[in-house]
Amino acid sequence: MNIVCLDMEGVLVPEIWIAFAEASGIPELRRTTRDEPDYNKLMKWRLGILKEHGLGLREIQETIAKIDPLPGAKAFLDELRSITQVIILSDTFEQFAKPLMEKLGWPTIFCNTLEVAENGEITGYKMRVEQSKLTTVKALQSIGYETIASGDSYNDLGMIQASKAGFLFKSTEKIKADHPELPAYEEFDDLLAAVKAAL
């Protein structure tokens, strides 16, 4: 019994924070988990910048409403879901993910949640569990699933390395160079073929 675990941002949809950095004109917000391995450090830094500029959930959701999945992502996901179970494991937040899940045909996603004040200020965030992607993959394995995983960033490496097959997808040159043992793909057709071969 197999289950495929996919990262969301950078793999199926563009990076939300990069899109918001462009929309808000705050270039520092372009920093993502491709650049910073410590997710808590990254999120606290982001929340500080939002507070400094008086920006909240509404402004970010307005940007997300304009984001479309990467070309070919929905067809890839539809075909994958027709042959095996798929879960998207993301360090994003429920308040960000919903409109994107609608555009992808409502796949299952496990993610985190934001703490939002009445005025819309994002005051904090609640992670499901520590190392959520790796922990989830291990939990799936503990109930009899074999996992196949793919992602693009530092926070995906744990689930990729712990799975029976794992692939980098649209990753950075640095991550690819640091992990030459991991097959790396740039096109959905190639990733689909690799996943099918591993099933």
Side-chain angles (χ1 to χ4, degrees):
M1 288 177 288
N2 294 292
I3 196 157
V4 176
C5 300
L6 298 174
D7 178 35
M8 180 180 81
E9 291 179 73
V11 172
L12 298 171
V13 303
E15 293 277 355
I16 290 168
W17 288 97
I18 290 176
F20 187 63
E22 287 165 8
S24 63
I26 306 170
E28 306 95 288
L29 286 173
R30 290 182 62 87
R31 194 166 174 78
T32 71
T33 50
R34 290 166 155 233
D35 313 298
E36 173 54 69
D38 186 332
Y39 190 74
N40 282 317
K41 182 176 169 186
L42 179 64
M43 271 309 297
K44 284 173 182 160
W45 183 76
R46 286 168 169 168
L47 295 186
I49 292 173
L50 293 179
K51 191 173 180 67
E52 188 185 316
H53 290 270
L55 296 168
L57 181 59
R58 182 177 57 83
E59 290 84 359
I60 299 174
Q61 285 178 328
E62 284 170 2
T63 296
I64 292 169
K66 299 174 191 150
I67 294 176
D68 286 320
L70 293 171
K74 185 172 185 303
F76 161 77
L77 205 50
D78 287 347
E79 181 160 353
L80 197 53
R81 289 166 72 197
S82 75
I83 54 175
T84 190
Q85 296 296 310
V86 180
I87 298 177
I88 297 170
L89 301 183
S90 175
D91 278 338
T92 193
F93 304 97
E94 293 168 338
Q95 296 93 332
F96 290 0
K98 192 174 177 186
L100 298 167
M101 293 304 97
E102 183 175 5
K103 289 177 182 179
L104 286 168
W106 298 111
T108 299
I109 182 169
F110 292 177
C111 60
N112 305 302
T113 190
L114 292 168
E115 295 164 351
V116 184
E118 282 185 21
N119 67 357
E121 181 190 342
I122 301 170
T123 55
Y125 57 95
K126 189 170 189 317
M127 304 295 280
R128 272 187 313 112
V129 287
E130 282 293 310
Q131 291 187 290
S132 62
K133 298 180 185 190
L134 174 59
T135 304
T136 302
V137 157
K138 286 185 169 173
L140 290 166
Q141 291 166 350
S142 78
I143 56 169
Y145 284 100
E146 289 194 278
T147 58
I148 297 167
S150 183
D152 68 325
S153 297
Y154 284 107
N155 62 340
D156 299 313
L157 292 172
M159 72 169 179
I160 290 171
Q161 290 163 333
S163 294
K164 79 163 181 179
F167 312 104
L168 292 170
F169 187 68
K170 297 184 184 292
S171 191
T172 65
E173 292 308 316
K174 172 150 180 43
I175 293 173
K176 287 189 280 192
D178 287 348
H179 295 278
E181 77 283 3
L182 297 177
Y185 301 106
E186 300 297 321
E187 302 298 331
F188 284 113
D189 287 349
D190 296 334
L191 180 60
L192 185 64
V195 172
K196 282 180 174 176
L199 285 171

